[in-house]
Amino acid sequence: MSKTAILELDGKKYEFPVFVGTENEVAIDINKLRDVSGAITLDPGYKNSGACKSEITFLDGEEGILRYRGYAIEDLAEKANFLEVTYLLIFGELPKKSDLERFETDIRKYTLVNEEMKNIIDGFPKTAHPMGVLAALTSALTAFNPKSVNPENEKDLYEAICKTIGKFLVIATWTYRKSMGYPLNYYDNTKGYVDNFMNLMFSLPTGPYKIDPVVVNALDKLFILHADHEQNCSTSTVRMVGSSHAGLFASISAGVSALWGPLHGGANQAVLEMLDEINKSGGDVEKFILKAKDKNDPFRLMGFGHRVYKNFDPRAKIIKKAADEVLTALGVEDPLLDIAMKLEQAALNDEYFKARSLYPNVDFYSGIIYRALGIPTDMFTVMFAIGRLPGWIAQWKEMRLNKEPIGRPRQVYTGSPLRDFVDMDKR
Ligand code: SDX
């Protein structure tokens, strides 16, 4: 690979260094482009632009590869648990048993959410979408934990990380409890992290709540599969907001808002709504395939396509297999799973989807499992946020410790040239 790239503009040649990553990804370093040539690049959606160097996650969209800190997602999903993967993403190494025990003990120091936070959630109508409530509550955590985090101070940063992991899970479940009119539950420090999720969500003061290990195991795997995905929309948002040195809670809150969109994390809810609509209209998947292909129809096949994966999303493969296993283990018959499989087969054999390398992504099957576990549809993207929290934290930490500059892209102005002001009575 050559060490430099040559750009010719208006008959002049400009040379830029070429950077090659661990997996031979090639980047042209255009840091000096505008200084030397006066020109900038234009790349809406940043389809070809790298925002940073990162040691956290590697994706190969052509080969369908996903690794966290060098470990294959297939191995992590099968052999690790969610807090173990959380530790790996944030601190860079698989934890020893003692490391993981200490990490969980330290998280438990911060699982009590300030009672006054309940006044905030009480201000929301029951009909509020859980993602909007979660974004607000996450930002509100700053008010109750005002000490700003100095990432250079290891103890400071570690405490803020444990605090975020402990409190985010609780407030995420409060969004559901609020929508149901249930009392808000407390984290139980005698239970595991994912067990706590089920307890926080579904235990009621009127009687005992039995946590099903099949459900906990499935959720643990789902959270691992969602934990990081390099510079996706919500993670890039967390890095962008954090680059102004806004706090960790504020940056995560921005990430929650970005994830909410149906083109991103909101797709898992949109997939279930789409499958439900297909089911209600008699299961005619071909009709929806035609709609998805029709340029005059804004309908898209939700859960299909990806900016990076031009092959199968490796997470979709694992989730599809888990969906089968969980529904069988729980004895759940879901017609939507059959429709999803029919839709997948129809799309994968259709020229439009093949020509555009559109395959099922992480959101296509996840909702089927959430539904089987009794999670309501409008909580699906909250589930994604709980899974993605470690990635957001890890990327925010890396960005701050690397002292990345404040994010401030350029633009090309296409508006009106200079014109004289026109007084009101002359307009
Ligand atoms: C996530 O980035 C990440 O890593 C995200 C994520 C993560 O872990 O963080 O993986 C999670 O967000 C997964 C994606 C979930 N979103 C959806 O399932 C929504 C449906 N999919 C799309 O809207 C779309 O595929 C995107 C947003 C995911 C990707 O969009 P791109 O890369 O901008 O692609 P594009 O819109 O330029 O589409 C290219 C072509 C277009 O057709 P042409 O103009 O070339 O004729 O493919 C078509 C699109 O119309 N197309 C689809 C389609 N997705 C793309 N057509 C029908 N149905 C679809 N789902």
Side-chain angles (χ1 to χ4, degrees), residues 108-128:
R108 287 175 171 152
K109 292 175 189 164
Y110 307 105
T111 51
L112 191 62
V113 175
N114 192 302
E115 284 291 305
E116 288 180 78
M117 283 279 283
K118 293 182 175 180
N119 303 330
I120 298 169
I121 199 165
D122 283 343
F124 286 96
K126 281 171 68 173
T127 51

Side-chain angles (χ1 to χ4, degrees), residues 144-386:
F144 297 95
N145 304 276
K147 188 177 146 214
S148 69
V149 177
N150 168 14
E152 313 287 319
N153 177 318
E154 208 173 313
K155 183 177 170 301
D156 239 19
L157 181 58
Y158 178 75
E159 183 187 285
I161 288 167
C162 293
K163 205 176 269 187
T164 306
I165 295 168
K167 298 181 188 299
F168 189 82
L169 185 77
V170 176
I171 60 176
T173 62
W174 282 6
T175 66
Y176 167 69
R177 303 290 288 193
K178 167 72 191 178
S179 71
M180 299 298 287
Y182 290 162
L184 304 179
N185 278 330
Y186 294 89
Y187 194 101
D188 176 348
N189 280 344
T190 66
K191 290 183 170 63
Y193 193 75
V194 181
D195 296 71
N196 259 289
F197 169 77
M198 292 306 286
N199 202 48
L200 284 159
M201 280 284 285
F202 298 115
S203 71
L204 293 172
T206 46
Y209 174 70
K210 190 173 172 320
I211 298 169
D212 184 337
V214 169
V215 171
V216 169
N217 185 41
L219 272 182
D220 200 282
K221 190 190 290 265
L222 280 166
F223 287 150
I224 288 171
L225 293 169
H226 285 82
D228 192 53
H229 216 241
E230 52 131 284
Q231 303 313 313
N232 60 85
C233 178
S234 55
T235 300
S236 300
T237 302
V238 170
R239 285 183 86 119
M240 175 65 91
V241 171
S243 73
S244 73
H245 290 193
L248 182 54
F249 291 130
S251 306
I252 301 283
S253 172
V256 170
S257 297
L259 187 71
W260 192 1
L263 294 188
H264 188 18
N268 56 17
Q269 173 174 346
V271 167
L272 248 291
E273 289 161 354
M274 173 185 73
L275 294 175
D276 206 30
E277 195 187 340
I278 296 173
N279 191 32
K280 286 195 176 108
S281 65
D284 176 7
V285 295
E286 278 312 322
K287 186 178 103 184
F288 285 81
I289 295 272
L290 286 173
K291 273 173 67 69
K293 291 159 57 172
D294 177 357
K295 287 299 164 205
N296 301 318
D297 188 332
F299 174 79
R300 284 199 158 184
L301 210 51
M302 300 315 277
F304 257 77
H306 198 277
R307 171 63 56 76
V308 174
Y309 289 124
K310 300 308 171 196
N311 190 324
F312 242 90
D313 181 333
R315 302 166 299 176
K317 276 188 199 166
I318 300 170
I319 294 176
K320 179 179 176 180
K321 184 166 167 288
D324 248 344
E325 290 162 0
V326 170
L327 269 67
T328 308
L330 296 176
V332 169
E333 288 279 315
D334 187 350
L336 299 193
L337 179 59
D338 304 332
I339 288 183
M341 290 181 172
K342 245 174 85 182
L343 189 60
E344 176 188 1
Q345 280 318 306
L348 293 182
N349 292 304
D350 182 287
E351 204 33 54
Y352 172 94
F353 290 86
K354 286 198 286 193
R356 292 166 178 78
S357 306
L358 300 177
Y359 292 89
N361 58 50
V362 67
D363 294 306
F364 190 64
Y365 282 105
S366 51
I368 299 279
I369 300 186
Y370 293 144
R371 207 164 104 107
L373 304 184
I375 312 278
T377 308
D378 68 0
M379 279 293 287
F380 287 4
T381 312
V382 172
M383 302 301 287
F384 196 141
I386 294 169

Side-chain angles (χ1 to χ4, degrees), residues 90-108:
I90 295 172
F91 303 110
E93 297 298 332
L94 284 170
K96 295 184 187 64
K97 195 166 181 303
S98 57
D99 297 330
L100 189 56
E101 283 164 358
R102 187 181 64 250
F103 187 44
E104 188 149 24
T105 304
D106 291 336
I107 289 169
R108 287 175 171 152

